[in-house]
Structure formats: C-alpha cells, structure tokens
Amino acid sequence: MVKKILGIFILLIIVIFFSIYVVVDKILIKKTITNIEKKLNLNIYLHEDYSFNIFPKLSLLTKFDLDKENLNLFIENAEFEIYKNYNQKPAAYFLNAESVRIEKLIIHDLEADGNIYKYSNDSLNSHLEIYLKGYIKCQLNTDEKNSLKFAKLILSRINLPESYKKLSNFITSILEEDMSFVSKFTLDRELLTINYFDSTKNELNFKLSGTYNLKSNIVDIIVKLDSNKENFMEFKITDNVKNPYIQILSNDNSINYNFFFNDIEKIFEEAVDNILKNLMANE
C-alpha cells in the first residue's frame, strides 16, 4: 500500500514537472517575447530551433532575427542564451549575431556576454553588465564613395595642420574599412556606464568612456583619438543628450571648438570656410 502511494506520488511529481516545462517552453517564453515586442516597438522572428532546459542548469537558447523599422535597425542570424546555475552566482548570458545594421552602419561578427545581477521590466531597477566586441563598417553607395575620394583629393592639396590631417585620415579610415572594437557597459539602475569602448585600425585608435543617466538624460562622455599611441585630439560631450555641449581640442590647439549640438551646422560652415581659404592660399 505504501509503495503504491509512493509510486503515485512520484508519478504526480513527474506529471507536474512535465506540465510546468511545457507551459514555460510553449507559453511563457512566447508571451515574454510578445511583451518585449510591444514595449520596444520591434519585431522578433524566432527560428524553430530554440530550447528551454532545467537540468543541469536553468537555460534558454534561442535563434532569431529582429527589426525595428523606425530606427532602421536589423539584426540577422542572432543566437541568444541565458542561463543560471543552481548556486549564488548571478545569471549570465551570451549573444552573437552575424550582422547588426543601423542605417548605413554595419556591425558584423558581433559577440556579447555578461552577467545579470538584477532584472526588471523597468530598466531603472536593473543591474547588469555587457562585454561587446566585433567589427564596424559603413555601407556606402557608389556616389558616396566617389564623394569620399574627391574629398580626400581636395584635402591632400591643402596645407592643413597635422591634427586636421590625422582627423581626416581617421574619418576616411572609418568610412572605407572595417574597424575592430571591444567594449564594456554597465547598467546600474538609472546609470549606464561606458567603462570602455576601444576601436582600432592600423595605427589609429578610438577610445570612449563615460556615463549616461537614463532618468535625467544627462551625458558625460570623453572620446580620445590616438595615432601611433599618441593622443592627438579629445572630445568632451556633456549636458542633456537632446542638445549636448561638445568640446573639441587637439593637442596642438589648431582645433578648439566649443558648441551645443544644435549649432553644429554653423561649426561645419566655419570649417568649410577655413578649408576653402587654405585651398585658395595654396593656389
């Protein structure tokens, strides 16, 4: 009698366990994805080969494509895994994607991983970290490539200060070739910290670090440009992200601009005027 009761009890546990597994796998996961789509106004296309496991660790592995058309954001052939071991360590995750396209910017061979210390539907109550690496390139059409070649030809004929030349080389390098990058981001409640974002191509190096307050929309970012391991220019971006205050200073002081982002057209006009004056002087 006791053996029968014990057997029925074990059978009930197995049935309940299996039912929970089916509910989580077939209903809750899809519901969660639907909620994410509605909240972020994007589309997620799951591949059929996703899996949810409970042993030996709690894990979800899914493959998907994603698009957010109002931002021209597309993620293709992505694989995401989140898992939690049965110990005191935080949940961890891993993401890789064949390509991420944002307008004309393409990130390929993207890899990301990190820990989730606390997660909430309200990002202001979350705490997580992410390590990102991959390659960045710009997708230019034929007209844009020809315009770039023409600009390089014009700049090569102008007697510009060294900092201008290095900045020009850096910009054209970004536009013409792939650049590798490594980075670390930390989100702790409302504060997003860019611990580091380093991008390198040949002797040129781009270094970015700083913070962004999601609640107040205040940024505090520093960008440093290096050539042959020597810093030649620095950008400081502060104030409200909708109209940040930008300071640009080269190490030889030939470039020294301070302006709000909404005034950037005026700054470009002044820069073009200076280039034309230099070109006329060389003639």
Side-chain angles (χ1 to χ4, degrees), residues 19-38 42 44-54 58-64 80-83 119 121:
S19 299
I20 293 173
Y21 179 89
V22 171
V23 169
V24 171
D25 189 33
K26 301 301 182 183
I27 300 176
L28 295 184
I29 292 174
K30 292 182 179 179
K31 183 179 179 181
T32 299
I33 291 172
T34 300
N35 289 338
I36 293 173
E37 288 180 315
K38 289 181 179 179
L42 50 77
I44 299 174
Y45 307 98
L46 280 182
H47 297 183
E48 289 299 321
D49 50 348
Y50 74 92
S51 63
F52 177 78
N53 295 305
I54 295 179
L58 190 64
S59 67
L60 169 66
L61 173 64
T62 181
K63 299 179 181 180
F64 64 94
F80 177 75
E81 181 182 15
I82 181 171
Y83 57 90
Y119 176 76
N121 286 330

Side-chain angles (χ1 to χ4, degrees), residues 2 5 17 19 26 33 45-46 58 85 109 127 133 184 191 198-199 204 215 245 247 261 263 270:
V2 175
I5 295 174
F17 177 82
S19 299
K26 301 301 182 183
I33 291 172
Y45 307 98
L46 280 182
L58 190 64
N85 291 308
D109 296 335
H127 181 196
K133 65 179 181 179
K184 178 185 177 183
L191 188 65
D198 295 348
S199 184
L204 299 172
K215 192 172 183 179
Y245 184 65
Q247 299 168 274
F261 182 78
D263 300 325
E270 292 178 0

Side-chain angles (χ1 to χ4, degrees), residues 160-169 233 252 254-257 271 274-275:
L160 292 172
E162 192 64 25
S163 292
Y164 278 94
K165 292 180 180 178
K166 290 180 179 179
L167 180 60
S168 173
N169 291 338
M233 193 168 300
D252 60 4
S254 61
I255 299 177
N256 190 349
Y257 292 112
N274 289 334
I275 291 174

